[in-house]
């Protein structure tokens, strides 16, 4: 953390789990479709088209504001934000200005120095512009293509106070925000363009630079790191950091100057004459009853209900789907066993494959995982065997019992191992004599006998222990 580095974020979040756009009834599920197929006169901004507020979008926005502990304003107004850019066919964006939906609020993050509240300035609703695709890079492209499927998607702009002091804090904030939004079931972060970030960064005393439209979390961290280094270099050389807007070039990991920062008055905000103000009281009451359990509450409940440690509970709530998966498994087997295998092993195997628990639900269902852990508990399979089955299931699918049989993963019963240990001793008198005369290496030979007989399925350390005990009693 560097106190001289000051970072504030403006996060644009698509409420992309809704059915329709912010001011028209065009469907939101456009990601697989051809460009410009989810459009109508309203979201194309044709003259005379009249917007109608999507009440579900307002409710979703209120849900987010409540979960972020923000103060929802008693009434809220849409404004026209005027600017000229091809992604905005009307020449203005319907947004909110001096009567935003909510003020204040915070998100708690866990830093190395402990918990920290990232305070929010405001949360407002707006419509997403269309999507421009540049032929080449933004600064050199000869032309760009435009897709209006995205035009009019309900958007929330969440603005933080300038209270972050490192790129890492910014990343922690965004991660936590994403988790909260997914818990609320208003947001799917896996969809392209679901969350886009403008980052304001300055170094105490210098001009504030805004980096526009960063589309990934990693991008935010890298853009900020680059920008902080750039500003520090300027200051070191005795030069001034200009107030400006820059673009993050994700390919080259640098920021490039776009234009000097526009001032608020450049946008000539005025109230949208085609929309009425929204009085929020009733909607807030309606939404309050639908707020789900949030990560912090869930963490405490998981600990209390399943007796698992905070280390596991903390990780489980990072992803609601993972927490759900765990709870299903924990209802069928020892919850502590379930927690450690879900968090430590299955999560790792999924990560390794760049997959998440949605994939686990497809390939290794909770009841199958529970069955596997039961086998482990009954010592029918070794830990190594469990891992092998997990990997096979994730990579190829199949039936658990078939996999265990085919791969010979059923553990050998303890009395069978004991019998083989005795056999090893009886059939190898020379090794036994060597061991007795102090040649400790002879033990390895006897263990090797059992390993060979079991085709490697015995645990070598335990087997050695067993043989040693038998030899001592001879
Ligand atoms: Zn439309
Ligand atoms: Mn905005």
């Amino acid at each position: 953390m560097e106190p001289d580095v000051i970072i504030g974020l403006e996060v644009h979040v698509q409420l992309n789990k809704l059915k329709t756009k912010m001011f028209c009834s065009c469907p939101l599920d456009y990601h697989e479709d051809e460009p410009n197929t989810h459009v109508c006169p309203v979201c194309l901004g044709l003259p005379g088209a009249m917007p109608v507020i999507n009440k579900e979008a307002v409710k979703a926005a209120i849900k987010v504001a409540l979960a972020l502990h923000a103060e929802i304003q008693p009434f809220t107004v849409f404004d026209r934000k005027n600017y000229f850019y091809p992604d905005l066919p009307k020449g203005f964006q319907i947004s909110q200005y001096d009567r935003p939906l909510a003020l204040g609020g915070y998100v708690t993050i866990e830093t190395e120095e402990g918990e920290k509240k990232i305070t929010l300035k405001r949360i407002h609703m707006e419509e997403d512009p269309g999507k421009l695709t540049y032929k080449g890079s933004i600064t050199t492209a000869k032309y760009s293509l435009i897709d209006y499927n995205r035009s009019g998607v309900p958007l929330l702009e969440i603005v933080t106070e300038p209270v972050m002091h490192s790129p890492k804090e910014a990343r922690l904030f965004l991660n936590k925000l994403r988790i909260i939004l997914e818990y609320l079931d208003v947001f799917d972060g896996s969809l392209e363009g679901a969350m886009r970030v403008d980052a304001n960064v300055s170094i105490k005393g210098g001009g504030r630079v805004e980096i526009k439209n960063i589309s990934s979390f990693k991008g935010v961290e890298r853009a900020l790191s680059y920008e902080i280094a750039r500003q520090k270099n300027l200051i070191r050389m005795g030069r001034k950091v200009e107030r400006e807007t820059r673009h993050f070039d994700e390919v080259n990991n640098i920021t490039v100057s776009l234009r000097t920062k526009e001032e608020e008055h450049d946008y000539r905000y005025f109230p949208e004459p085609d929309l009425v103000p929204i009085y929020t009281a009733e909607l807030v009451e309606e939404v309050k009853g639908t707020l789900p359990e949030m990560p912090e509450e869930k963490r405490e409940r998981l600990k209390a209900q399943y007796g698992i440690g905070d280390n596991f509970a903390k990780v489980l709530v990072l992803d609601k789907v993972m927490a759900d998966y765990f709870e299903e498994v924990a209802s069928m087997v020892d919850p502590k066993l379930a927690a450690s295998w879900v968090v430590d092993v299955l999560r790792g195997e999924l990560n390794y494959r760049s997959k998440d628990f949605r994939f686990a639900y497809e390939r290794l269902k909770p009841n199958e995982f529970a069955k596997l852990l039961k086998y482990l508990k009954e010592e029918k399979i070794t830990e190594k065997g469990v891992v092998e089955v997990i990997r096979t299931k994730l990579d190829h699918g199949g039936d658990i019992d078939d996999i265990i049989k085919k791969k010979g993963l059923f553990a050998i019963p303890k009395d069978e191992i004991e019998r083989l240990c005795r056999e090893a001793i009886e059939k190898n008198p020379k090794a036994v004599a060597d061991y007795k005369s102090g040649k400790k290496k002879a033990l390895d030979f006897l263990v090797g006998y059992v390993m060979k007989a079991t085709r490697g399925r015995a645990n070598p350390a335990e087997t050695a222990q067993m043989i040693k005990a038998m030899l001592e009693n001879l």
Side-chain angles (χ1 to χ4, degrees):
M1 202 194 67
E2 297 176 84
D4 280 357
V5 171
I6 301 159
I7 298 167
L9 301 178
E10 293 168 20
V11 189
H12 284 99
V13 173
Q14 285 187 334
L15 300 173
N16 55 13
K17 281 214 157 179
L18 293 166
K19 295 261 177 312
T20 57
K21 291 186 180 180
M22 189 75 218
F23 301 113
C24 63
S25 52
C26 290
L28 287 193
D29 55 345
Y30 60 81
H31 283 87
E32 312 274 295
D33 295 334
E34 291 288 307
N36 301 307
T37 52
H38 289 232
V39 291
C40 73
V42 173
C43 54
L44 283 174
L46 298 186
M50 292 290 271
V52 177
I53 298 171
N54 175 352
K55 198 174 155 194
E56 292 308 311
V58 179
K59 277 159 67 177
I62 288 174
K63 207 170 170 187
V64 174
L66 286 172
L68 298 180
H69 317 280
E71 251 177 73
I72 294 165
Q73 301 302 292
F75 85 105
T76 181
V77 176
F78 285 105
D79 293 275
R80 290 188 179 182
K81 179 183 185 180
N82 297 279
Y83 66 93
F84 181 71
Y85 211 61
D87 59 3
L88 206 61
K90 302 195 283 284
F92 61 87
Q93 178 189 32
I94 305 180
S95 179
Q96 300 198 285
Y97 183 48
D98 52 357
R99 291 284 179 182
L101 174 72
L103 296 173
Y106 62 87
V107 169
T108 311
I109 60 170
E110 272 188 55
T111 70
E112 273 144 30
E113 292 99 37
E115 278 198 348
K116 179 173 172 178
K117 271 184 187 167
I118 305 299
T119 44
L120 306 178
K121 202 179 269 175
R122 56 185 271 153
I123 300 171
H124 71 248
M125 297 177 282
E126 58 187 34
E127 56 177 342
D128 211 350
K131 181 173 189 264
L132 285 168
T133 303
Y134 299 96
K135 182 68 190 150
S137 99
I138 186 171
T139 44
T140 59
K142 290 217 169 57
Y143 63 89
S144 51
L145 300 167
I146 175 83
D147 175 9
Y148 290 116
N149 283 349
R150 205 178 77 182
S151 173
V153 168
L155 216 56
L156 273 191
E157 185 173 327
I158 299 168
V159 184
T160 76
E161 297 283 0
V163 289
M164 284 161 274
H165 299 290
S166 69
K168 194 179 165 198
E169 280 190 1
R171 176 171 51 89
L172 289 171
F173 166 77
L174 292 169
N175 275 335
K176 187 63 182 288
L177 180 62
R178 175 179 172 159
I179 291 167
I180 293 171
L181 293 167
E182 291 188 332
Y183 266 69
L184 294 172
D185 204 25
V186 296
F187 175 75
D188 178 353
S190 69
L191 292 174
E192 190 267 331
M195 195 188 262
R196 282 136 30 217
V197 178
D198 299 340
N200 287 296
V201 53
S202 63
I203 293 178
K204 212 162 261 175
R208 183 160 60 105
V209 170
E210 180 173 29
I211 313 167
K212 276 275 182 203
N213 245 320
I214 318 167
S215 56
S216 71
F217 290 9
K218 260 190 212 139
V220 172
E221 205 174 6
R222 290 197 314 242
L224 286 171
S225 299
Y226 174 85
E227 186 55 26
I228 290 165
R230 188 188 70 87
Q231 293 186 16
K232 278 187 180 163
N233 270 332
L234 285 176
I235 292 167
R236 195 173 307 132
M237 291 185 292
R239 283 165 60 190
K240 201 169 152 248
V241 178
E242 295 293 342
R243 178 153 189 221
E244 63 177 347
T245 299
R246 298 176 73 87
H247 162 76
F248 179 55
D249 175 343
E250 306 225 3
V251 178
N252 299 306
N253 271 327
I254 56 169
T255 66
V256 288
S257 183
L258 277 185
R259 55 182 181 261
T260 55
K261 170 81 184 138
E262 53 284 88
E263 303 287 334
E264 246 167 24
H265 61 248
D266 291 335
Y267 290 123
R268 297 161 17 256
Y269 280 100
F270 65 88
E272 164 61 79
D274 292 337
L275 294 171
V276 291
I278 303 169
Y279 292 84
T280 55
E282 254 176 59
L283 289 171
V284 171
E285 281 316 304
E286 199 179 318
V287 171
K288 262 185 185 159
T290 69
L291 274 186
E293 181 182 50
M294 298 308 288
E296 272 91 23
E297 301 163 62
K298 193 186 279 290
R299 179 166 159 185
E300 293 311 313
R301 180 177 61 79
L302 291 181
K303 286 195 282 183
Q305 187 173 338
Y306 299 103
I308 60 172
D310 189 53
N311 51 338
F312 287 132
K314 189 164 95 181
V315 178
L316 284 169
V317 303
L318 293 178
D319 172 5
K320 186 170 175 293
V321 186
M322 170 165 53
D324 289 345
Y325 187 97
F326 159 74
E327 288 203 74
E328 287 186 46
V329 178
S331 71
M332 296 177 262
V333 289
D334 174 7
K336 285 182 188 155
L337 188 69
S340 86
W341 278 86
V342 166
V343 169
D344 290 340
V345 184
L346 181 53
R347 179 164 150 264
E349 293 293 332
L350 289 165
N351 269 343
Y352 177 74
R353 289 163 179 76
S354 305
K355 300 285 184 197
D356 60 20
F357 274 82
R358 268 172 271 250
F359 186 74
Y361 265 107
E362 282 168 34
R363 284 293 179 92
L364 178 59
K365 299 197 166 43
N367 63 321
E368 297 179 298
F369 198 50
K371 185 173 172 185
L372 200 51
L373 295 181
K374 256 184 220 155
Y375 285 166
L376 177 68
K377 206 138 195 212
E378 293 160 3
E379 295 187 3
K380 285 188 183 150
I381 186 169
T382 60
E383 293 194 350
K384 211 175 114 196
V386 174
V387 173
E388 179 76 30
V389 177
I390 292 174
R391 289 178 179 162
T392 309
K393 282 286 280 174
L394 294 180
D395 290 336
H396 309 289
D399 176 75
I400 284 192
D401 291 306
D402 284 351
I403 295 168
I404 296 176
K405 234 175 269 161
K406 216 179 273 168
K407 298 202 169 225
L409 295 173
F410 276 116
I412 297 167
K414 210 173 162 200
D415 49 358
E416 172 65 6
I417 304 268
E418 267 172 9
R419 193 189 62 75
L420 286 168
C421 287
R422 242 174 280 126
E423 189 178 292
I425 291 171
E426 278 158 22
K427 288 199 175 169
N428 297 286
K430 184 168 176 317
V432 173
D434 283 352
Y435 182 83
K436 289 265 169 191
S437 68
K439 284 186 194 154
K440 297 296 171 204
K441 272 233 152 208
L443 182 63
D444 292 347
F445 179 81
L446 295 169
V447 172
Y449 178 93
V450 177
M451 295 307 289
K452 204 169 153 194
T454 59
R455 277 180 294 137
R457 282 184 291 156
N459 178 321
E462 278 170 23
T463 306
Q465 213 49 46
M466 232 180 248
I467 295 178
K468 224 167 140 185
M470 286 176 185
L471 288 174
E472 243 110 80
N473 290 328
L474 270 186

